[in-house]
Amino acid sequence: MKTLGNLIINGVGSSNGGTYQKVELNGKGTVNSDIECERFHCNGTGTVHGNIKTEKGKISGAAKIHGAVKAESLVINGSAVISEAVGCQKLEIAGRSSIGGSVKCDVIAVNGKATIEGDCEAEVFRAEGTFSLDGLLNAETIDIKLFGDSKAKGGRKIKVTQHRETLLKLIKSIFPLKLEAVLIEGDDIELEGTAALVVRGKNVKIGKNCEIGLVEYSGDYDCSPEAEVKELRRI
């Protein structure tokens, strides 16, 4: 496909897709098919009726993408609705995002709010915001600092802590923050503020504000007196 230069929409407009060096949707822009570019920026209100393939993607405004996104890096500071899968080396979500398919990245950082309907696969998954994951979270390292209710499962090295900021301490006393999961399975697991039916790992540490149905462990086990664990099973 021939490279067409730059596609920039500053006002209200629409265009066909294609291969570009740079795509910027600064006003209210619509692209009616697939896009391939070096840089994709949505600073206004943008709609793409197709897939996006880019080296660097950034969404600071509000974007609706009726397709999949493939990028080396994708930063979402505004609002993004992506109907299909996302694949990239690094995904940063500081705003709000809804992803209808699976997510596969090397590093995923959630500092805002993320909803993922499919599975999530990463080398590193870090969250200091809130997220909901309908599928399986499979990552080498999972590090979650809870700001609100979140849902996930999976991982090898898992650490869940409740954020320590003063304002959040007050909020937590009124609205307890919790990670909800059906199964948490890994090598080294350290949990706070977590509700799970089953926790299974080699070394397991259950901290305060946890409600666990069953803990299965083969190595070290430590439990806070503030945690509720209904059943233990050494495997």
Side-chain angles (χ1 to χ4, degrees):
M1 188 179 294
K2 184 179 179 181
T3 301
L4 302 177
N6 298 329
L7 172 61
I8 300 175
I9 300 177
N10 291 318
V12 178
S14 64
S15 174
N16 293 324
T19 300
Y20 300 91
Q21 292 180 345
K22 178 173 65 174
V23 174
E24 288 189 7
L25 305 179
N26 299 319
K28 187 176 181 180
T30 301
V31 181
N32 293 311
S33 60
D34 296 346
I35 297 173
E36 185 172 346
C37 58
E38 293 181 6
R39 288 184 295 165
F40 174 83
H41 289 177
C42 178
N43 301 310
T45 302
T47 302
V48 178
H49 295 284
N51 304 316
I52 296 177
K53 183 178 181 182
T54 184
E55 292 182 8
K56 294 183 178 181
K58 186 175 182 180
I59 298 172
S60 300
K64 291 185 178 181
I65 301 166
H66 300 280
V69 176
K70 186 175 182 180
E72 289 187 8
S73 66
L74 177 61
V75 178
I76 300 174
N77 293 322
S79 173
V81 178
I82 303 171
S83 62
E84 297 182 17
V86 172
C88 54
Q89 292 181 5
K90 187 173 183 180
L91 172 62
E92 298 180 40
I93 301 173
R96 299 170 63 92
S97 67
S98 175
I99 300 172
S102 61
V103 175
K104 186 174 182 179
C105 304
D106 291 342
V107 177
I108 299 174
V110 179
N111 297 308
K113 184 175 182 179
T115 301
I116 301 171
E117 295 184 13
D119 293 339
C120 185
E121 183 177 346
E123 293 293 324
V124 177
F125 181 93
R126 293 191 176 95
E128 295 190 20
T130 62
F131 63 94
S132 176
L133 178 60
D134 291 342
L136 173 68
L137 173 57
N138 185 10
E140 290 291 321
T141 300
I142 298 174
D143 189 357
I144 299 170
K145 295 179 177 64
L146 290 172
F147 278 77
D149 291 340
S150 299
K151 297 180 180 180
K153 66 177 183 178
R156 291 187 59 191
K157 186 175 182 180
I158 302 168
K159 185 176 182 179
V160 179
T161 58
Q162 293 184 303
H163 210 275
R164 295 293 187 267
E165 291 183 5
T166 303
L167 177 61
L168 287 172
K169 286 183 180 180
L170 176 61
I171 294 174
K172 285 192 302 181
S173 66
I174 304 172
F175 305 105
L177 308 183
K178 195 81 72 174
L179 171 72
E180 297 181 4
V182 176
L183 168 68
I184 297 177
E185 184 174 15
D187 293 335
D188 299 301
I189 299 175
E190 184 177 344
L191 304 177
E192 286 184 6
T194 301
L197 294 180
V198 179
V199 174
R200 181 184 301 130
K202 181 178 180 181
N203 301 310
V204 179
K205 183 176 182 180
I206 307 296
K208 62 183 181 179
N209 299 328
C210 288
E211 299 175 13
I212 310 297
L214 171 64
V215 175
E216 298 180 337
Y217 66 102
S218 58
D220 294 332
Y221 172 76
D222 184 22
C223 185
S224 167
E226 298 176 298
E228 179 183 346
V229 178
K230 294 182 179 179
E231 186 177 351
L232 288 175
R233 181 183 300 167
R234 189 174 182 92
I235 55 176

